[in-house]
């Protein structure tokens, strides 16, 4: 039985995704839950799935994709090149299975930037601190976003005297609204986050990232703040394998509807 947890707001993208899931996912004689993000009652309902030992999947915006408009209401502008991640039992995939590069090539053909630059060596560069949203931070780190910023900032100060710049998620009315993270990553020594997809932006630009172990970027990132002055910079082969893994976990609505998402993800499992 497929259980697509509805978000009450009629503009939510889940209202476009759930019909595709219900058509393209194989139904079974047991509950299989799908959640769009962590909004509404999703967090307590995910916790209930964990308590009961029931299978659940997390659906959210894709890792490498054309972007949607988020505010004042979400809109998909290019359905054929807008991807959504579908992850079993986590916010980010924990099953890193590289594809054969076909999906990566398909993204490139659609005009999506999949290039990864060589590692930069910005000796006098700053550190860009990019927290995840308050809801993600609370679920992942069991603390408020403000507490995570303070704790991580204090940890950084023990190991570096570089300038630390803060960048929160752009939201209408805040100072980052209408800005591009690429501009703030210019000249950076490293990016530090917990679960934010900003780590992908950094790595693609050749900027080392520090993340939580559960972040999609952790296989090519650092997870220990004490290494901030000498960050890990995996070789090109490892980074290429990683990005091939990443794109195996995101799909267009048509691919979900046609059963391609189900097939690809089941092969991984």
């Amino acid at each position: 039985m497929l259980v697509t947890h509805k978000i009450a707001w009629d503009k939510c993208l889940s209202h476009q995704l759930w019909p595709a899931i219900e058509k393209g996912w194989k139904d079974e004689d047991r509950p299989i839950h799908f959640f769009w993000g962590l909004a509404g009652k999703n967090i307590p309902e995910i916790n209930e799935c964990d308590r009961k030992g029931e299978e659940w999947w997390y659906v959210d915006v894709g890792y490498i994709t054309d972007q949607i408009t988020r505010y004042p209401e979400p809109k998909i502008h290019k359905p054929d090149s807008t991807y959504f991640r579908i992850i079993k039992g986590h916010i980010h995939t924990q099953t890193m299975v590289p594809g054969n590069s076909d999906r990566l090539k398909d993204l490139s053909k659609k005009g999506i930037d999949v290039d990864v630059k060589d590692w930069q060596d910005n000796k006098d560069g700053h550190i860009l601190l990019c927290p995840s949203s308050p809801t993600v931070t609370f679920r992942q780190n069991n603390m408020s976003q403000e507490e995570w910023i303070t704790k991580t900032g204090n940890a950084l100060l023990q190991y570096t005297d570089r300038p630390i710049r803060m960048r929160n998620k752009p939201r209408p009315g805040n100072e980052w609204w209408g800005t591009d993270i690429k501009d703030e990553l210019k000249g950076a020594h490293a990016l530090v986050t917990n679960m934010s997809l900003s780590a992908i932006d950094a790595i693609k630009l050749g900027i080392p990232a520090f993340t939580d172990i559960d972040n999609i970027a952790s296989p090519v990132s650092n997870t220990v703040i004490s290494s901030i002055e000498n960050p890990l910079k995996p070789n090109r082969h490892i980074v290429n394998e990683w990005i091939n893994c990443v794109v195996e976990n995101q799909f267009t609505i048509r691919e979900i509807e046609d059963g391609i998402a189900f097939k690809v993800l089941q092969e991984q499992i």
Side-chain angles (χ1 to χ4, degrees):
M1 176 179 61
L2 302 181
V3 184
T4 50
H5 291 256
K6 304 294 191 296
I7 299 290
W9 187 37
D10 63 352
K11 301 296 190 300
C12 179
L13 289 182
S14 62
H15 294 282
Q16 297 182 52
L17 285 156
W18 291 164
I21 289 282
E22 289 160 359
K23 183 176 180 180
W25 209 269
K26 182 181 176 182
D27 203 353
E28 298 185 33
D29 189 23
R30 61 188 176 89
I32 302 175
H33 301 262
F34 291 86
F35 295 93
W36 171 255
L38 296 176
K41 299 178 181 179
N42 284 1
I43 290 179
E45 289 177 347
I46 287 172
N47 292 340
E48 183 67 6
C49 288
D50 287 336
R51 188 186 70 81
K52 292 181 177 179
E54 294 181 350
E55 183 177 319
W56 62 273
W57 294 76
Y58 179 86
V59 186
D60 209 330
V61 294
Y63 292 122
I64 301 175
T65 175
D66 272 334
Q67 297 300 310
I68 63 171
T69 291
R70 292 177 178 270
Y71 302 99
E73 62 185 60
K75 291 182 181 178
I76 300 170
H77 301 283
K78 297 180 179 180
D80 290 340
S81 54
T82 301
Y83 290 78
F84 299 90
R85 69 187 191 265
I86 306 177
I87 310 300
K88 184 179 181 181
H90 292 275
I91 294 173
H92 291 319
T93 184
Q94 306 297 297
T95 306
M96 300 299 287
V97 179
N100 59 10
S101 297
D102 286 349
R103 294 187 64 79
L104 193 65
K105 291 174 184 175
D106 190 46
L107 264 68
S108 183
K109 288 177 183 176
K110 292 177 178 179
I112 297 172
D113 179 14
V114 297
D115 291 336
V116 180
K117 297 185 182 301
D118 292 334
W119 293 112
Q120 305 297 299
D121 186 15
N122 298 319
K123 294 181 179 179
D124 298 320
H126 61 281
I127 295 166
L128 190 62
L129 187 63
C130 297
S132 294
S133 69
T135 50
V136 170
T137 300
F138 185 77
R139 175 168 174 79
Q140 179 67 21
N141 305 104
N142 197 32
M143 63 181 71
S144 70
Q145 186 192 66
E146 292 78 9
E147 288 172 328
W148 182 89
I149 292 168
T150 299
K151 180 180 178 181
T152 306
N154 287 339
L156 284 167
L157 291 174
Q158 294 181 49
Y159 300 106
T160 185
D161 58 2
R162 294 175 183 274
I164 300 172
R165 299 182 190 173
M166 166 72 184
R167 179 181 173 86
N168 213 327
K169 289 183 174 294
R171 295 289 187 262
N174 74 14
E175 65 184 274
W176 300 280
W177 181 245
T179 66
D180 191 331
I181 192 172
K182 294 182 180 66
D183 294 327
E184 297 197 54
L185 283 169
K186 288 178 181 175
H189 169 72
L191 175 141
V192 178
T193 185
N194 41 359
M195 295 295 284
S196 171
L197 300 189
S198 61
I200 297 177
D201 294 306
I203 292 163
K204 287 176 64 186
L205 290 170
I207 306 298
F210 285 73
T211 72
D212 278 9
I213 192 66
D214 291 334
N215 192 302
I216 181 70
S218 67
V220 290
S221 298
N222 305 259
T223 57
V224 181
I225 290 293
S226 58
S227 301
I228 190 66
E229 283 299 324
N230 295 288
L232 174 72
K233 296 179 180 179
N235 65 42
R236 173 65 67 174
H237 174 73
I238 292 172
V239 175
N240 287 344
E241 278 209 336
W242 165 75
I243 203 166
N244 268 306
C245 294
V246 169
V247 301
E248 292 291 311
N249 293 275
Q250 59 170 35
F251 308 91
T252 64
I253 289 180
R254 182 182 293 276
E255 287 178 328
I256 298 169
E257 186 176 73
D258 290 347
I260 293 171
F262 176 81
K263 180 177 182 294
V264 170
L265 292 171
Q266 292 304 311
E267 286 175 353
Q268 290 189 25
I269 294 170

